[in-house]
Every structure is written in C-alpha cells, then in structure tokens.
Amino acid sequence: MTRRTVALDGALSEYLLQIGLTETPVMRELREFTATHRQAKMQIAPEQGQFLGWLAQLTGVRRYLEIGVFTGYSTLAVAQAMQADGTAVACDITPAFTDIAREYWQRAGVADRIELRLQAALDTLDALLAEGQADSFDLALIDADKPNYRAYFEACLKLVRRGGVIAIDNVFLSGRAMAPQPQDPPGVHLIHAFNAELVRDPRVRLCVLPMGDGMTLATRL
Ligand SMILES: C[S@@+](CC[C@H](N)C(=O)[O-])C[C@H]1O[C@@H](n2cnc3c(N)ncnc32)[C@H](O)[C@@H]1O
C-alpha cells in the first residue's frame, strides 16, 4: 500500500490498458494507425481518451471545444460520448493530420457533429467569442502549442460555462515542467509558471491527474 501515486512502468501501463481500456473498434483502429505515424507521441494516452469520454458522458456534454486535434483520437473519444445532439468545435492548423482525423470521424459516424476550424487556434477562439459563443461550452481540451497555453486557458475561461471543465494536457512535460533548465525551450518555462499560477487561480477549482503526461482539470467557478 502507498499514499503516493504508483509510478507506471511499461508492464504496469500495459496491465492498466488490459484491465481498464474499453474502446470502440474505430477508436482502436485510429490508435493503431496513429502509432505508425512519425509524430505518434503527440496523441493523448488511450486511458486519457477513455477518461475524457467517461467525463463527457457523466456530465452530459453537449458542446465540446478542442484545441489540438492531430489525428483526432481525443476528439473521437469525446464526440462518441456526447449527448445525441452534442457538437464539437475542433481547432488545428495542420491539414495533413486532420485529414486522417476526418476519415476516422466519418467511419465512426460522428463527422457531422464536429466542426473543424483550420487556422491558428487563437484566431478561432477570438472568432467564437465574436460569434457570441461565450459561456456555451461544457468541456474544453487544451492540447496544442505550449507557448500559447496561458492564452488558450484565458479564452477557454470565457468560452466554457460556469461549472464546465477545462482539461489541460502535458502539464508534466515528461517531468521537465518541474524544474526547467536555462537551455529548455520557452514552452517548458511557460508551463512551469502556468502550473504554479493555476493552483492559486481563484477562478477555477483544480485537480491534476497523473495520467499520460499529466492532465489538469479545471472547473470554472
Ligand atoms: C499534441 S497534438 C494534439 C493531440 C490530440 N489531442 C490527440 O489526442 O491526438 C497538437 C496539435 O496541435 C496543433 N497545433 C499546433 N499549433 C497550433 C496552433 N497555433 N493552432 C492550432 N493548432 C495547433 C498541431 O497541428 C497538432 O495537431
């Protein structure tokens, strides 16, 4: 027994998936395809996808905002678990990735629920606010370029309704966020500072999950 979270080595990580992972066939196919991609490590861990889908179903998500789509695994996990009339806005800038995403969303029968906006996510978030979509999202996931995380979070605080959840991926940065070194890229320093601010932010209630590369959940108060 331990009061600390158990570190997952390869074998225990496999066991976690063995006893816990339930994916639809299309999700499994997408994950297996993405594993062959040269940027495979960008995808969230399967247990994170499962958790986000579980959360979306539990809380009855109807509006989902995703910042960082890649091949669409996280989008699919949530889109499949949303309410029947649920819709998602998915932000990315790389059509070579999102072409793959669209193919799998179509195969899963959820493509018509997902509006993909292909431009810098900050422009999409500004556009959503200009369109009057403040306070309209139930759940958001921030999983794109790290230097913009703080700006994405501020925009999500306006776009997500009170009581809604903002999930922030990669808050550990493989451990580098803990003690950035001078030679680390600006994104590492930014995430370090952002993490330290977030835990004291009176606008949200926080929970950091040691899942994947670390995922913070912030409920908007
Ligand atoms: C870590 S991946 C997202 C992984 C995805 N959530 C998943 O589970 O597979 C980051 C994505 O952010 C996109 N991205 C990077 N900079 C961006 C920007 N400024 N605006 C929008 N998308 C961006 C990249 O093209 C990439 O697809």
Side-chain angles (χ1 to χ4, degrees), residues 2-9 12-13 16-17 44-49 51 168-175 195 206-217:
T2 172
R3 286 183 296 140
R4 289 173 55 176
T5 299
V6 172
L8 298 188
D9 60 11
L12 196 49
S13 196
L16 166 70
L17 300 185
I44 54 167
E47 60 271 26
Q48 281 178 283
F51 172 77
I168 305 155
D169 194 31
N170 305 114
V171 296
F172 289 167
L173 286 178
S174 306
N195 284 339
L206 209 74
C207 178
V208 181
L209 299 182
M211 196 185 250
D213 188 23
M215 181 163 68
T216 292
L217 299 178

Side-chain angles (χ1 to χ4, degrees), residues 58-82:
L58 180 76
T59 59
V61 166
R62 284 201 157 80
R63 297 272 291 146
Y64 173 55
L65 174 62
E66 183 167 278
I67 304 166
V69 172
F70 187 39
T71 59
Y73 186 81
S74 46
T75 337
L76 185 55
V78 175
Q80 288 184 150
M82 285 188 302

Side-chain angles (χ1 to χ4, degrees), residues 25 30 36 40 47 49 71 104 107 151 166 172 178 195 200:
L30 173 56
T36 67
E47 60 271 26
T71 59
Y104 283 86
R107 283 170 57 182
I166 304 168
F172 289 167
M178 201 168 38
N195 284 339
R200 295 190 300 266

Side-chain angles (χ1 to χ4, degrees), residues 126-198:
D126 283 348
L128 290 170
L129 287 167
E131 291 161 18
Q133 300 200 41
D135 300 315
S136 72
F137 290 90
D138 304 301
L139 174 65
L141 171 65
I142 300 174
D143 189 17
D145 48 319
K146 308 311 165 213
N148 278 322
Y149 260 39
R150 191 181 276 120
Y152 292 148
F153 178 70
E154 290 302 323
C156 284
L157 272 180
K158 296 182 183 134
L159 288 161
V160 169
R161 65 168 171 82
R162 284 187 196 280
V165 176
I166 304 168
I168 305 155
D169 194 31
N170 305 114
V171 296
F172 289 167
L173 286 178
S174 306
R176 287 193 298 167
M178 201 168 38
Q181 301 301 301
Q183 68 274 18
D184 279 333
V188 178
H189 295 269
L190 186 135
I191 295 291
H192 174 80
F194 179 56
N195 284 339
E197 284 163 24
L198 216 50

